[in-house]
Amino acid sequence: MAPRSDEPRRDPKGARRGSSREVGPTDGEPRTGEPGIGGISGARAYTPRGRTVREERGTPPRSVGAEQRRTPRSTRSGDPFRPALQVLDGGRAAARSGRRDAPAAGRGGVVRTVAPRTPRGPGHEEPPPRRRTTPRRADRPAARRPSRKPPRPPKLADSRLRLRLGTALALTLFATIGIRLIFLQAVDTPAYAGGGTAARTRTVELPAPRGAIYDSTGAPLVRSVEARYVFADPTEVEDQASTAKALSPLLAIPASKLAELLKPRKLEDGKESRFVYLARGVEISAAKQVQALELPGIGVHRDERRDVPGGDLAANLIGFTSQDMVGLEGLEARYDDVLAGQDGKRVYEAGRRDLDAAIPGGYSRTTPAKPGSSLCLTIDRDLQFRTQQILSEGMAKLRGGTGAAVIMEIPSGAVLAQASNPTYSAAKPTDSTPVAREDAATSFVVDPGSVHKAITYGAALQEGVITPDTTLPIANSIKMGDTWFSDTHQANGKRMSIPGMLAYSSNVGTITIAEKLGKDRLIDYQKRFGLGKPTGEGMPGEASGRLLPADEWSESSHGSVPIGHSVDATPLQMAAAYATIANNGTYVQPHLIKEVIGPDGKRTPAPAPITRSVLSPQNAAALRTMLEAVTTVDHATGVTAAVPGYRVAGKTGTGSRVVNGKIDTDKVSSFIGMAPAENPRYVIAVFAYAPGGGGAVVANTAFRDMMQFTLRHYRVPPSTGGSAPKFVVYPR
């Protein structure tokens, strides 16, 4: 290797290196510029040529141009300018060459300038300048690329890309959380809040008391009272036999029945039954004794039961309810929607297990129970009791019989009493039979018999077929079609007055008058008097009866229909027909409901009854007078129904009913009358069915006793118009 020279190295043109800006490789002329300008920009612009490998080994270069075109590898050399260039370049050149002493790339906090070494001598030859790293000017020819590129370091990840990706992920995460929070707070809040509340809430039913039923004076016929029910959880009962034995005297239920109820049983879904009623409507005092026993699996809870102070008083009218307070029969069933209230409930938050109590300040909502409304009937409790008593006494003489009695007020049409026999106790309906629970006044359908004759005579009067003074020759019998109709009181062809025909209940006289009236007009008046359809009194299941249509009449029907056969009617329908006569010819719908009393005590009167004109007042008064002959004429059919001190107008009847698909002929006796006859206040109808006969005596005497009590109960003064007129049966 040639020794270093103390003089600075010059290019072929003699220019001193480092004294001015870089000399172009083609012309060798120095660039114009300020000598001595230093600094970072000047240092970066100065790029000395490095030595070639051949120079390192002492081999002379081929030429100056070749030297300039060759880019030497980074080696350790004694170039005095190399350290300064390495520092000014930030260590990048050294880093690329792989030198150990190179500073880390990118470290540029402090730039240190290293002075060039002093030339060693005239014979010293400087290494060629390194190639420029800055882009070459366009006026210079491009240098030859090195034959071998230095190895590049592995490409590092871009920190900016990582930052952007992380930011995007963070924003996405926060946006997702924000959207979810919005849904939780705004959209899903009710569902989650409701679900949480439902898990903590308890519901307690607040039963609504059922409305009462009162009589016209406000006395209770039936009402609801607080009670208790006793239940059992069979899965928790330890000893069935001993538990049943302990409960039997308190619940008045046989121990054997209780033991059967306490046996474990499975439900339809296969699970064990955990609830069974042992008794309903238990008295509170008895329920407290049950609780005091502290029997495992036995519990007591609030209940309601119907209290019937009168027992069987108006039981066939009132009916009864189930243990769940649902009306099953009678007015309890017909007006169940009025009597039944609306149960309330209390929903509140409670703790768990031993803290199962309302949380103070927690959710609590109470829906008050709405008690049912009450019914005020037109029934008079005292009159109802006496009517039932009289009917029962009379029917006790007839085995297997059925009796019915109706008392109506004139002119209102209100039903003051309505009795049936047999009867039952509404407090214990399970101990009775279906027949005993029927209301005979509205379900007892019969051929009314001779009590129907008042309708025939009333129609004939109104149509002018007869007058109160009419007399007709009456034979002992009359044939209609293939049927003979006879009289029990034979006239033997004599002329008979209308009052006489009613007094002796002449079939022949009635049929003769009906023939003059005609079937069409007779049917029309039957309908006007209220036959052929339910009265709408208020009882459920009221029978409508049936009228024989004109096109179904046979020849014998002309004889049977006028005297009350081939006609189906109920005692109540016939009572309403006679009330029309008593009310000066105006029909008034019979009714049981006086008013409805709301839970707040407000009284709402019942809808006004249906009314219609059937007879003129004059004809109605004339008919009433003629009907007095039934209770005043010697040997008349209704003499035993007369009430001392009062004028009574009425009519007896003997009809039939269908029993087991067969007609039981002439076994239904009846009497329907009104008093005082000159100004009627009440109408009473009594029907008695006796399989063995003899009902006429019961009906007449029962009517007399009922009317006598009714007149005295309401303090009706005796008849002021004197006694009934003297009737002539067979005028000359």
Side-chain angles (χ1 to χ4, degrees):
M1 182 180 295
R4 294 178 181 270
S5 173
D6 295 334
E7 290 294 326
R9 187 175 180 181
R10 297 179 182 273
D11 59 8
K13 297 292 182 178
R16 184 180 176 181
R17 300 189 59 84
S19 62
S20 64
R21 297 199 177 203
E22 184 179 357
V23 180
T26 58
D27 54 7
E29 292 295 329
R31 289 185 179 181
T32 60
E34 298 282 346
I37 294 177
I40 297 301
S41 61
R44 288 181 178 174
Y46 173 70
T47 307
R49 271 185 207 156
R51 294 183 180 180
T52 64
V53 177
R54 189 170 300 193
E55 289 175 332
E56 289 287 341
R57 296 178 181 176
T59 306
R62 296 177 184 177
S63 65
V64 177
E67 254 179 67
Q68 292 177 351
R69 291 192 299 269
R70 185 180 301 276
T71 301
R73 295 181 182 178
S74 299
T75 57
R76 295 177 183 269
S77 67
D79 188 350
F81 300 101
R82 189 171 299 280
L85 295 173
Q86 291 175 355
V87 173
L88 291 173
D89 197 30
R92 286 189 291 272
R96 286 194 297 268
S97 64
R99 288 176 53 187
R100 296 180 181 178
D101 57 350
R107 294 176 60 185
V110 177
V111 178
R112 185 173 58 181
T113 305
V114 180
R117 293 184 181 181
T118 306
R120 295 186 180 181
H124 181 75
E125 191 178 285
E126 291 294 332
R130 297 179 60 189
R131 289 184 64 184
R132 286 174 58 92
T133 59
T134 59
R136 183 176 296 278
R137 293 175 55 181
D139 56 350
R140 297 182 184 179
R144 233 175 90 184
R145 292 179 181 272
S147 59
R148 300 179 68 183
K149 292 183 179 181
R152 292 185 179 182
K155 188 177 181 180
L156 300 177
D158 191 346
S159 61
R160 291 177 297 176
L161 181 59
R162 289 193 303 239
L163 180 60
R164 291 172 183 170
L165 181 60
T167 302
L169 291 175
L171 291 177
T172 302
L173 178 62
F174 281 117
T176 303
I177 294 175
I179 293 173
R180 183 58 181 158
L181 287 175
I182 291 174
F183 269 88
L184 288 175
Q185 294 294 332
V187 180
D188 297 338
T189 297
Y192 283 101
T197 303
R200 300 188 304 273
T201 56
R202 303 290 184 272
T203 301
V204 177
E205 296 292 335
L206 303 177
R210 187 176 177 86
I213 299 178
Y214 302 100
D215 79 336
S216 59
T217 65
L221 298 175
V222 59
R223 59 190 173 185
S224 288
V225 296
E226 185 177 352
R228 299 290 184 268
Y229 68 78
V230 180
F231 66 94
D233 182 350
T235 62
E236 295 184 1
V237 176
E238 296 177 355
D239 190 338
Q240 301 170 10
S242 61
T243 300
K245 186 177 180 180
L247 293 175
S248 179
L250 299 177
L251 304 180
I253 300 176
S256 58
K257 183 177 180 180
L258 291 174
E260 185 67 24
L261 293 173
L262 294 173
K263 288 182 180 180
R265 57 179 53 84
K266 291 187 178 181
L267 302 175
E268 294 181 358
D269 56 2
K271 296 181 180 180
E272 292 288 338
S273 174
R274 302 200 61 181
F275 181 89
V276 61
Y277 283 113
L278 298 182
R280 299 291 301 271
V282 179
E283 295 284 349
I284 296 178
S285 58
K288 289 182 178 180
Q289 296 180 29
V290 172
Q291 287 180 308
L293 296 177
E294 296 182 353
L295 298 172
I298 305 300
V300 176
H301 204 276
R302 188 185 183 281
D303 198 8
E304 178 184 359
R305 67 179 177 84
R306 297 297 266 175
D307 178 49
V308 187
D312 64 350
L313 183 66
N316 300 81
L317 294 177
I318 296 170
F320 57 91
T321 66
S322 67
Q323 293 181 337
D324 294 324
M325 296 293 110
V326 177
L328 298 181
E329 287 193 17
L331 296 175
E332 291 273 26
R334 172 65 177 79
Y335 295 95
D336 184 67
D337 56 339
V338 177
L339 295 168
Q342 296 181 7
D343 292 343
K345 63 180 178 180
R346 182 191 174 207
V347 182
Y348 62 92
E349 287 187 86
R352 293 186 176 182
R353 297 181 181 176
D354 295 340
L355 299 177
D356 192 9
I359 299 175
Y363 174 83
S364 178
R365 183 177 181 180
T366 301
T367 303
K370 296 181 180 179
S373 298
S374 298
L375 294 178
C376 183
L377 306 184
T378 57
I379 297 295
D380 184 313
R381 183 178 62 171
D382 294 338
L383 182 60
Q384 176 73 26
F385 172 79
R386 181 57 181 157
T387 301
Q388 288 186 207
Q389 187 180 48
I390 294 172
L391 183 64
S392 297
E393 291 174 353
M395 295 303 298
K397 305 173 183 178
L398 307 174
R399 295 183 178 181
T402 301
V406 178
I407 301 179
M408 291 183 63
E409 182 184 53
I410 306 301
S412 67
V415 177
L416 303 179
Q418 189 164 303
S420 300
N421 187 272
T423 186
Y424 73 105
S425 173
K428 297 179 179 180
T430 56
D431 297 339
S432 61
T433 63
V435 174
R437 296 195 295 265
E438 290 181 356
D439 176 54
T442 57
S443 63
F444 189 46
V445 180
V446 298
D447 282 351
S450 294
V451 289
H452 180 274
K453 293 176 180 177
I455 296 176
T456 303
Y457 284 94
L461 280 172
Q462 187 67 23
E463 293 297 318
V465 174
I466 60 172
T467 66
D469 299 328
T470 298
T471 61
L472 296 172
I474 303 301
N476 294 336
S477 299
I478 187 172
K479 186 177 183 181
M480 304 299 294
D482 57 355
T483 305
W484 283 94
F485 297 90
S486 304
D487 286 343
T488 55
H489 291 76
Q490 296 182 354
N492 298 319
K494 297 179 182 179
R495 301 189 69 87
M496 183 178 286
S497 64
I498 300 298
M501 296 179 193
L502 289 171
Y504 293 143
S505 192
S506 173
N507 292 331
V508 176
T510 304
I511 294 172
T512 302
I513 295 173
E515 279 295 288
K516 296 179 180 181
L517 180 64
K519 64 178 180 180
D520 291 330
R521 288 192 290 182
L522 178 58
I523 293 174
D524 180 52
Y525 276 90
Q526 286 178 326
K527 294 178 180 179
R528 290 188 186 186
F529 275 102
L531 304 186
K533 63 179 181 180
T535 64
E537 176 198 34
M539 290 297 295
E542 180 184 0
S544 62
R546 183 178 183 272
L547 297 178
L548 190 64
D551 57 356
E552 295 183 12
W553 280 42
S554 63
E555 289 298 324
S556 62
S557 298
H558 289 270
S560 61
V561 172
I563 62 176
H565 296 285
S566 301
V567 177
D568 292 336
T570 64
L572 181 62
Q573 287 175 326
M574 295 307 301
Y578 274 74
T580 302
I581 300 171
N583 192 33
N584 292 325
T586 300
Y587 174 87
V588 179
Q589 178 188 20
H591 53 279
L592 280 169
I593 307 302
K594 179 181 180 181
E595 57 187 3
V596 177
I597 306 174
D600 56 354
K602 182 180 179 181
R603 296 175 178 267
T604 304
I610 298 172
T611 62
R612 58 177 172 268
S613 177
V614 181
L615 303 176
S616 66
Q618 296 78 13
N619 288 326
L623 183 57
R624 288 198 302 269
T625 301
M626 291 188 291
L627 287 171
E628 288 188 68
V630 176
T631 60
T632 59
V633 173
D634 293 340
H635 308 293
T637 57
V639 174
T640 55
V643 177
Y646 297 90
R647 294 171 59 182
V648 176
K651 184 69 182 74
T652 57
T654 303
S656 307
R657 68 169 300 194
V658 177
V659 179
N660 298 325
K662 296 181 180 181
I663 298 178
D664 201 356
T665 307
D666 299 335
K667 298 296 178 63
V668 179
S669 299
S670 59
F671 188 93
I672 306 176
M674 59 200 74
E678 69 276 13
N679 184 22
R681 294 282 306 275
Y682 306 101
V683 169
I684 297 179
V686 180
F687 283 71
Y689 164 69
V697 177
V698 172
N700 289 2
T701 56
F703 168 86
R704 180 195 61 199
D705 295 342
M706 291 177 188
M707 181 61 78
Q708 190 174 29
F709 180 84
T710 302
L711 295 171
R712 292 179 179 177
H713 177 69
Y714 290 109
R715 299 180 180 180
V716 178
S719 295
T720 57
S723 60
K726 299 295 182 179
F727 295 102
V728 177
V729 178
Y730 301 108
R732 295 181 181 178

